[in-house]
Amino acid sequence: MTRWHLAHGRHLDLGANSVLMGILNVTPDSFSDGGEFDRPERALQQARRMIGEGAAIIDVGGESTRPAAGAVSAREEQSRILPVIEALSSEGGSLVSVDTYRAETARLAVAAGAHIVNDVHGLQREPDIAHVAAETGAGLVIMHTGRGREKLADVIADQFLFLNRSLEIARDAGIADDRIVLDPGFAFAKDGEENLELMARFGELRALGFPLLVGTSRKRLARHLVGESDEARDVGTAATSVILRLKGASIFRVHNVAVNRDALAFADAVRERETVE
């Protein structure tokens, strides 16, 4: 059991049971659900639905991270997400994460009630975001990415190279280890073979010594094996969630909470039996 310390005096215990993070894209152009929840009232309805299905965390994002997505201004990003974060935090039904790489957006989001900062650039695009996390006490998700840089040929060696650099930034800013979770960044500048290799060797990442979050939901690694429909991709996502849970992942960032909740219940039961035996 590991206790993840978060902003506003909150925490989350990781280890015994899978933790579900529901994806809430308040955007017009995200790859799976762009435009579905880009109005605050619809975003809140979706958040409540995911909480009811078992999401402990709602991850709110205002800029698409799909390949070749157009960038938005910080002001636009903030106008999309801050009303939703404020409303969710006032309801108190879940923990709230902000999906951003911008330091000022992170600062405003935590002030609005967010507990977690989820940076898909692993603190390496705007390193000041590490100081925001340190000053606010936010929990921090540091994600690996291969975008915009030369990668090592070995997928695990590249994970260690990138994430250790990110951890240096975090520690230099004064972020305690018990506020950090790592994400290997499935599909972020990784082709199908790299994603499968990363999944097969996922257990090696436990040597980094931090809880692990995974985000495979509806991504190409599932689509090219099971099909293009949301239903097929959700089944593929649930399969990857089970595999990665048995290899040590703790948090699962997903679109379809209910399907992954049910699949992970079996993985948790197997892990518990392995521990007992």
Side-chain angles (χ1 to χ4, degrees), residues 23-25 27 29-37 46 218 255:
I23 298 169
L24 188 60
N25 292 317
T27 60
D29 58 345
S30 292
F31 80 91
S32 176
D33 55 5
E36 292 185 32
F37 312 117
Q46 174 66 359
R218 297 182 179 174
H255 296 86

Side-chain angles (χ1 to χ4, degrees), residues 172-186:
D172 287 347
I175 300 171
D177 285 359
D178 62 9
R179 294 189 181 274
I180 297 173
V181 164
L182 301 180
D183 176 353
F186 282 99

Side-chain angles (χ1 to χ4, degrees), residues 64 95 144 168 176 179 211 218 226 246 248 259-260 270-271 276:
S64 175
L95 297 167
H144 173 282
E168 287 179 9
R179 294 189 181 274
R218 297 182 179 174
V226 297
L246 295 176
V259 168
N260 286 275
V270 170
R271 280 173 54 93
V276 170

